[in-house]
Amino acid sequence: MPRLRTLPSLLFILHLLILLITVAPTIHGYHLDSAEFVIGAHTQGIVHSPGYPLYLMIAKGFTFLPVGNIAFRVNLLSALALAGTTPFLYLALHNLTKDRAFAAGATLVTVFSFHVWQMGVSAEVYAPQLFTLAVTGWLLTRGERTPLHWLALSYGLAAAMNPASVLLAPGVAVVALWWRRSVWAYVHGAAIGAIAVQLPLVYFPVNYHENTLYNAAGYYDGTGMFISLPLDSVRGVWWMLRGVQFNALYFYDGVVPSWAQMQDIFFVMGSNTYWLGAIVAVVGLVAMANTARRQLGAWLLLFIPFIYFYTTYGAIDRTTMIGPAHALLALPMAHGLAALLGDVPERVKTGIVSVAVLLMLAVNLPGFIAQRTDDSYTTAARTINAMPPDAIVFGPWQRVVNMQYIQLVEGQRSDLTLYNLFLFMDSTFEAYITETTPALDVPIVFLEPSGNTPAQNALVAEAVQFTPLVADGVVVGYVATF
């Protein structure tokens, strides 16, 4: 095998080349928020809470690349970040297992698995988050050689990239405390981490006062006017970071996970590698309990809080949010490979691991190549172009955001007023439909004959009659009559 110093670079190049083959050419439908992140980066707007300011600032730089359209350029950030994750994940696993073949095998099986690969093909925060966490993991596994302030900076950037990274804090803190540095070193490190988290927050008040074209931090009132949170205040920024917009999804079925929730997350984790990696990881956990208990303890402190939160989280796209859990599973997977293959000759061991990686690649690559033809952009373009002049359009999150990409990024159909139903409270939606709408002399179109909540659905069913709006033989919306 290549020398240790060369292998991480080869893994990065290999992974990046494969991701460039599969990266989406424009907005993509798998991630619900992909188009919104492109809009936010292009306009320096404010996306839904927790706002992701560090991601948006970095993504803005990618919008200036002289290649493809704006969405493709931001998609490249995900591809580059996920490819950058690979060498650091490998180095972390090698530091812990001391075996190149097992570390490389577990790394490649992980990054070529379905849910992790999906993070690298379109605009989303998860691949950059995973990159910062992989760097943090590498620094953790270097032990005493790691300056504490570098670890704090890396983990602070991970938390700034996606606040969900704080779920890994128990494990990061315990490993750092094992190093027994001076009190001053820990205080210094904590200060650096806090600065890394807080500096990007300047994005909120700056862009709040710039009156950006896009702002999802607030709600529509009964007249259809957007009421933004005061993002120039501590209260407004704290509201963003806590993800208050999604409060109803936290522990939505109770603090204790239900049996159905546990089954669901178990299936997601296992099917990600078609159960092969999960089975090997179970073997690895048993092996770690016998030979690497300290590693197992740290791993549990990292894994359990993270997977617990997302097991109890009610978002329909939570399977795309648990990339760190999949990456963490690579450690017991590497130990499982060592337990199963540790006594076989080096060439045989390398051959078996290579076959496993090639199988994962062969199974997933055709699907991701085919997925590049995702029709989200085509559907959004057909829909927005079919709208009557000066229409007011209501629709669910993803359909509206995809149309806003065409309107705000590509500059088309500025005559339309697009309303994301998620940003209406039930009371303000009722006021808009029953009091404001009757006085409007413009077409009113619903992309779907419903609202966003049961209360909105009931109001729409009672107060509105619909006429289908057809384009190219496809119903793209419903013209409303009140």
Side-chain angles (χ1 to χ4, degrees):
M1 292 187 68
R3 296 177 63 187
L4 179 60
R5 289 179 296 176
T6 305
L7 188 54
S9 299
L10 291 178
L11 293 175
F12 168 75
I13 294 170
L14 169 67
H15 195 193
L16 181 60
L17 289 175
I18 292 173
L19 285 171
L20 291 177
I21 295 172
T22 60
V23 68
T26 183
I27 58 173
H28 198 272
Y30 186 86
H31 292 121
L32 297 182
D33 307 322
S34 183
E36 185 195 17
F37 281 122
V38 178
I39 295 168
H42 178 68
T43 66
Q44 285 293 268
I46 297 168
V47 300
H48 67 277
S49 60
Y52 310 105
L54 179 60
Y55 171 83
L56 292 178
M57 289 188 285
I58 296 172
K60 178 64 177 180
F62 276 74
T63 65
F64 296 111
L65 293 175
V67 58
N69 54 57
I70 299 296
F72 176 72
R73 298 171 194 176
V74 182
N75 293 344
L76 287 177
L77 169 57
S78 292
L80 184 62
L82 189 58
T85 298
T86 302
F88 287 102
L89 180 58
Y90 163 76
L91 288 170
L93 295 179
H94 184 268
N95 287 340
L96 295 175
T97 64
K98 309 302 181 185
D99 189 288
R100 287 180 294 173
F102 298 147
T107 296
L108 292 177
V109 167
T110 298
V111 298
F112 290 147
S113 64
F114 177 79
H115 290 300
V116 177
W117 194 330
Q118 193 75 64
M119 296 161 57
V121 300
S122 62
E124 249 296 358
V125 71
Y126 305 127
Q129 175 199 16
L130 197 62
F131 170 74
T132 56
L133 289 175
V135 174
T136 301
W138 169 62
L139 292 171
L140 283 172
T141 61
R142 293 178 77 245
E144 298 293 334
R145 293 176 293 166
T146 296
L148 198 59
H149 59 275
W150 282 113
L151 173 64
L153 176 62
S154 175
Y155 184 56
L157 291 174
M161 188 66 71
N162 186 351
S165 300
V166 302
L167 296 168
L168 303 167
V172 174
V174 165
V175 174
L177 289 171
W178 283 344
W179 298 346
R180 298 185 181 278
R181 305 289 172 83
S182 67
V183 173
W184 166 244
Y186 286 114
V187 172
H188 184 223
I192 290 175
I195 291 171
V197 171
Q198 293 175 28
L199 271 182
L201 301 181
V202 175
Y203 179 96
F204 292 132
V206 168
N207 288 285
Y208 171 75
H209 283 292
E210 287 292 329
N211 296 316
T212 54
L213 290 173
Y214 186 85
N215 186 350
Y219 62 94
Y220 291 112
D221 68 10
T223 67
M225 180 178 294
F226 187 76
I227 308 300
S228 176
L229 267 292
L231 296 179
D232 57 351
S233 69
V234 172
R235 179 176 68 87
V237 172
W238 181 235
W239 183 94
M240 285 290 282
L241 294 179
R242 288 187 297 132
V244 173
Q245 282 177 302
F246 304 99
N247 267 353
L249 301 179
Y250 298 145
F251 308 109
Y252 79 106
D253 201 21
V255 175
V256 178
S258 68
W259 178 243
Q261 288 173 321
M262 290 188 287
Q263 284 181 307
D264 179 59
I265 209 73
F266 177 77
F267 179 81
V268 169
M269 295 297 297
S271 63
N272 184 52
T273 55
Y274 305 101
W275 300 100
L276 174 64
I279 293 171
V280 175
V282 170
V283 174
L285 288 172
V286 174
M288 291 171 70
N290 292 323
T291 62
R293 292 181 181 177
R294 199 171 191 183
Q295 285 187 32
L296 178 61
W299 184 87
L300 290 171
L301 286 172
L302 291 165
F303 185 81
I304 290 177
F306 191 89
I307 203 67
Y308 163 73
F309 175 81
Y310 282 107
T311 300
T312 61
Y313 189 52
I316 60 174
D317 57 340
R318 63 179 175 154
T319 57
T320 67
M321 303 174 183
I322 59 173
H326 293 304
L328 283 168
L329 210 61
L331 176 59
M333 194 187 308
H335 278 286
L337 289 171
L340 295 170
L341 304 175
D343 295 329
V344 303
E346 187 70 23
R347 289 187 177 181
V348 176
K349 175 176 67 177
T350 302
I352 294 174
V353 169
S354 299
V355 168
V357 172
L358 289 173
L359 283 174
M360 186 65 63
L361 184 60
V363 170
N364 284 332
L365 180 60
F368 278 101
I369 291 176
Q371 195 184 91
R372 294 184 77 251
T373 59
D374 174 84
D375 64 353
S376 294
Y377 179 85
T378 302
T379 300
R382 179 173 57 210
T383 302
I384 199 170
N385 290 327
M387 293 296 116
D390 302 315
I392 293 175
V393 182
F394 295 95
W397 182 282
Q398 189 174 33
R399 292 193 65 186
V400 169
V401 171
N402 287 351
M403 292 170 65
Q404 287 176 314
Y405 169 81
I406 295 173
Q407 184 184 67
L408 300 178
V409 177
E410 297 189 347
Q412 301 180 38
R413 297 305 307 267
S414 59
D415 60 304
L416 301 178
T417 301
L418 303 176
Y419 281 124
N420 186 336
L421 286 169
F422 178 83
L423 300 179
F424 272 102
M425 295 183 289
D426 289 346
S427 58
T428 58
F429 180 73
E430 180 179 11
Y432 190 87
I433 293 300
T434 60
E435 299 173 17
T436 304
T437 301
L440 300 175
D441 189 24
V442 295
I444 308 294
V445 179
F446 283 71
L447 298 180
E448 297 177 8
S450 60
N452 185 63
T453 66
Q456 292 180 15
N457 291 340
L459 178 64
V460 169
E462 179 182 351
V464 185
Q465 294 182 335
F466 293 111
T467 302
L469 180 63
V470 180
D472 300 327
V474 177
V475 175
V476 297
Y478 300 85
V479 180
T481 304
F482 296 88

